Amino acid sequence: MSAPTIAAALGRPHNGFSIVRLALAVAVVVSHAYSVTTGDAAAEPLARLTGFTLGEHAVNGFFAISGFLVTMSLERRGARDYALARTLRILPGLVAATLVVALILGPALSALPVSAYLREAELWRFIQGTLTTFKSNAALPGLFGGNPYRAPLGTVWTLKYEVLCYLGVLAAGLAGLLRWRWSALLLTGGLALALVAVEAAHPALPKGLETGLRLPMIFAGGAALYLWRERVRLWAWPLLGLALACALAQGTILYRTLLFLGETYGALWLCLAPVLARPVLDPPADLSYGTYLYGWPIQQSLHALWPGASATLLLGPALLLTALAATISWYAIEAPALRLKARALGRRTLNTIEPAGP
């Protein structure tokens, strides 16, 4: 029996984009349970096994899905509506999370008196830096001084790469490159070759350089899969082949690139798998963005309040509180913003598979 094309799978009334993104966001929270309590990301078991944490693998999945959906969004909407949709999906949730952390969580847990906390220039630099440059290593005055990491919004750094990729898709669309489907494929291949070449020249590959190639490559790979949707079939054998190639290439300069390409295809394969194309797995609320934003500050807070508790012990409460915060974020901030977007674009319903940044 022939596997369906991506285009055919997209034509089904349901898909797994929402549930997969939520699972990826939860994976980030699980991964950070180790780094928040120990200050050592390598303490996570998966990091020792694959060279990358569960959170890094999850971010890879986010970028593959985002590249796919964002490219689809621009093709279907056009440049003006695309820019509005991207802004209203990312910005309201980020602004709300930044203000909640800076003006509610910070004063509540800071070692400084509230009046002194509010007078600190560091507070206002934090807000400005988070909202303008997605700075994720900025601290708040007197907050989390005893934690391994002081940053209260440690996950927003990925939004910088997400927004740059959004702008890249917009530029490609305006230049007419998306009508030439080879464009994304060539970009993905070029970045893959660049990653291999850089690692060959610098075996101790700096993390920042790796990330600067990895995330755009995976995003471009997701875009390429969308542009080739009429031709690419959702076979399992390419996924198995890439997994085997990764296992054989571990310890070589090809390992990273093969792993990232495999995760790109794997994330989209999973989202479009028939087993996830069920109404019961299509949740009415998209909690992935809120989970991604609020998981870290909640875990930081729990560790500050109970510094002797293990990662495993704090994980359950962290997940419950994060789910609550994500639900409030969705119904109070994100869904109203999407309704505003729907009205602005002349639609009556929300698009619950709108990509949001990891």
Side-chain angles (χ1 to χ4, degrees), residues 34 37 69 85 119 149 232 246 260 284 299 316 327 358:
Y34 294 89
T37 53
L69 293 179
R119 287 196 303 269
Y149 299 106
V232 176
C246 285
F260 302 152
Q299 289 175 296
T327 301

Side-chain angles (χ1 to χ4, degrees), residues 104-157:
I104 297 176
L105 179 65
L109 295 183
S110 175
L112 300 178
V114 173
S115 58
Y117 175 88
L118 295 174
R119 287 196 303 269
E120 286 285 338
E122 188 179 19
L123 165 63
W124 309 107
R125 285 197 301 268
F126 170 85
I127 295 173
Q128 180 185 26
T130 303
L131 296 180
T132 58
T133 61
F134 308 108
K135 192 174 183 180
S136 63
N137 60 352
L140 283 169
L143 186 65
F144 303 145
N147 286 11
Y149 299 106
R150 286 199 58 206
L153 275 173
T155 59
V156 299
W157 66 271

Side-chain angles (χ1 to χ4, degrees), residues 80-318:
R80 183 186 64 85
D81 289 356
Y82 166 87
L84 178 64
R86 301 280 54 76
T87 301
L88 290 177
R89 187 63 186 103
I90 292 292
L91 194 57
L94 175 64
V95 171
T98 302
L99 296 180
V100 165
V101 167
L103 301 179
I104 297 176
L105 179 65
L109 295 183
S110 175
L112 300 178
V114 173
S115 58
Y117 175 88
L118 295 174
R119 287 196 303 269
E120 286 285 338
E122 188 179 19
L123 165 63
W124 309 107
R125 285 197 301 268
F126 170 85
I127 295 173
Q128 180 185 26
T130 303
L131 296 180
T132 58
T133 61
F134 308 108
K135 192 174 183 180
S136 63
N137 60 352
L140 283 169
L143 186 65
F144 303 145
N147 286 11
Y149 299 106
R150 286 199 58 206
L153 275 173
T155 59
V156 299
W157 66 271
T158 61
L159 297 181
K160 172 179 65 178
Y161 291 96
E162 185 86 4
V163 170
L164 289 173
C165 288
Y166 289 174
L167 293 174
V169 170
L170 179 59
L174 292 174
L177 291 176
L178 295 185
R179 291 193 293 270
W180 187 53
R181 62 186 180 186
W182 283 96
S183 57
L185 196 60
L186 289 173
L187 178 59
T188 305
L191 289 169
L193 290 174
L195 183 59
V196 172
V198 168
E199 187 169 3
H202 305 282
L205 185 62
K207 197 65 177 178
L209 180 57
E210 177 203 85
T211 301
L213 292 171
R214 167 174 63 104
L215 297 184
M217 182 187 77
I218 292 170
F219 188 97
L225 287 172
Y226 175 75
L227 294 177
W228 287 81
R229 64 194 179 279
E230 301 285 352
R231 301 287 297 274
V232 176
R233 294 188 176 273
L234 295 168
W235 298 105
W237 64 263
L239 197 58
L240 296 174
L242 284 166
L244 177 60
C246 285
L248 295 175
Q250 195 160 15
T252 73
I253 59 173
L254 296 177
Y255 172 69
R256 284 182 172 90
T257 301
L258 290 172
L259 176 65
F260 302 152
L261 292 176
E263 289 180 332
T264 301
Y265 180 78
L268 274 304
W269 183 88
L270 185 60
C271 288
L272 295 169
V275 69
L276 297 185
R278 304 172 186 274
V280 69
L281 297 178
D282 196 7
D286 184 356
L287 304 185
S288 59
Y289 190 33
T291 299
Y292 187 80
L293 287 175
Y294 288 98
W296 179 275
I298 286 172
Q299 289 175 296
Q300 284 277 70
S301 301
L302 290 175
H303 181 63
L305 293 170
W306 293 283
S310 67
T312 305
L313 186 61
L314 292 180
L315 180 58

Side-chain angles (χ1 to χ4, degrees), residues 5-24:
T5 63
I6 289 176
L10 275 177
R12 299 183 188 124
H14 300 280
N15 55 62
F17 283 102
S18 294
I19 195 67
V20 170
R21 287 189 308 185
L22 179 58
L24 293 174

